[in-house]
Amino acid sequence: MSDDLWRAVREYLEQHEEAKAKARGRRGPRSRLVDAILVMLLAKPMRAAEIAGILGYSTRYISSYLSYWKTRGYVEYESGLWYLTTLGEEYAREVLDRESRDRFNEFAAVAQRILNSLPDKTAINSKREARPRRQAGPPLPFIAGLKGKPGNKQQNRGLTASCALDVIAEELDEEEAEIMRFLLDHYAKWGTTYIYLDQLQEGMQADFQWLVKNLRSLQTKGFIYIYRDPRLGMRVGMSKKTKDVLEACSAGLDA
């Protein structure tokens, strides 16, 4: 890909980010990784390397997320440390509250199961003759139709995508693998081998400079292509090399 086209990619992403900010205003993260990062920063300001070491990611990868959410006003950077803004602190506390509610609901469900497992004294002491159990009728048509039927297309694509990622993983670094995992997950869910660049950045919530750098590396290695659609924008798709791996995995799973 020429330098001019890569420059166009950068300009497109910058313009898209500006348009999103104007059209939607600020929006909270939708990534569990971002939730984890912000909750950690709620405890104290930290270096990206500290966060990366605790969460098990590369420092560059964590830095890309922090840079992305810095532009949205959730974090700030000073003297080597990342810290939460007022907006980021509010969101991190919401995450903590949500997780606390989830844990309470989980424990409440366990307590209910324990209670339900206790013998019913009324039933034990009752001398009434138990009613005969009603025989189950024929299964509903749609349930009967599922019995013995092989996995649906989405499940099969998921297995194929997982196989393909395992095959190509040796040629990828951690950051490239994260992008390919997203593209393959997208394929497994929707059955398409391409996605538009703005959708990719939004879905990964990635810093655009980090994204462009790694897309360029993946394109150099022959795993993706980038096409400029005059009407719809930049398209990122799986190359023939990647599609061949998918086809081989699919054939192997069907064998």
Side-chain angles (χ1 to χ4, degrees):
M1 180 179 293
S2 68
D3 290 339
D4 288 341
L5 186 52
W6 278 112
R7 192 176 302 111
V9 169
R10 290 177 181 272
E11 292 173 356
Y12 175 83
L13 284 173
E14 289 174 341
Q15 292 169 2
H16 175 71
E17 284 302 305
E18 292 175 2
K20 281 200 305 181
K22 292 178 181 178
R24 301 181 184 177
R26 297 194 183 279
R27 181 178 63 184
R30 294 178 298 168
S31 164
R32 298 294 287 173
L33 176 56
V34 177
D35 288 354
I37 293 171
L38 297 184
V39 167
M40 290 185 65
L41 291 177
L42 188 60
K44 66 173 186 176
M46 300 178 70
R47 300 182 186 278
E50 292 180 83
I51 300 172
I54 293 171
L55 298 182
Y57 288 85
S58 71
T59 301
R60 284 191 303 169
Y61 189 57
I62 295 298
S63 295
S64 73
Y65 273 82
L66 288 166
S67 297
Y68 183 86
W69 288 102
K70 180 177 182 293
T71 63
R72 279 145 187 78
Y74 284 77
V75 294
E76 280 294 343
Y77 181 77
E78 185 177 347
S79 302
L81 295 173
W82 289 93
Y83 62 92
L84 295 175
T85 62
T86 301
L87 180 63
E89 184 174 345
E90 290 175 356
Y91 180 80
R93 293 192 184 281
E94 289 176 6
V95 173
L96 279 179
D97 290 342
R98 184 175 67 241
E99 293 297 323
S100 297
R101 287 195 300 271
D102 289 345
R103 281 197 296 271
F104 175 81
N105 292 337
E106 180 182 345
F107 292 149
V110 172
Q112 190 65 46
R113 287 199 298 271
I114 293 172
L115 182 62
N116 290 339
S117 68
L118 295 175
D120 187 340
K121 293 182 179 179
T122 303
I124 293 175
N125 295 330
S126 175
K127 295 182 180 180
R128 290 180 299 174
E129 183 178 354
R131 294 182 180 179
R133 293 183 63 184
R134 181 180 177 183
Q135 291 186 345
L140 294 174
F142 80 94
I143 295 177
L146 291 174
K147 292 185 176 180
K149 183 177 287 188
N152 61 38
K153 291 182 179 180
Q154 185 172 337
Q155 290 173 329
N156 292 339
R157 288 197 302 266
L159 292 172
T160 300
S162 179
C163 166
L165 186 60
D166 286 342
V167 171
I168 66 176
E170 292 184 357
E171 300 183 53
L172 306 174
D173 65 26
E174 182 180 348
E175 296 176 347
E176 294 164 352
E178 189 69 19
I179 294 174
M180 290 305 300
R181 184 178 295 109
F182 186 93
L183 292 175
L184 288 165
D185 285 346
H186 181 78
Y187 161 77
K189 186 174 183 179
W190 302 108
T192 61
T193 57
Y194 68 87
I195 187 173
Y196 286 94
L197 192 55
D198 56 335
Q199 295 173 325
L200 177 61
Q201 186 193 15
E202 184 174 353
M204 295 192 69
Q205 297 183 339
D207 174 71
F208 80 90
Q209 292 181 343
W210 175 89
L211 183 60
V212 168
K213 174 179 71 70
N214 285 287
L215 286 176
R216 189 166 195 170
S217 178
L218 286 169
Q219 191 264 349
T220 299
K221 292 182 178 181
F223 289 110
I224 66 165
Y225 69 85
I226 293 185
Y227 168 72
R228 183 193 297 179
D229 187 318
R231 294 183 299 111
L232 300 176
M234 298 291 183
R235 180 193 297 176
V236 179
M238 298 181 196
S239 66
K240 184 178 184 302
K241 175 180 177 179
T242 303
K243 290 178 182 178
D244 287 345
V245 174
L246 283 171
E247 185 176 348
C249 284
S250 179
L253 291 169
D254 290 339

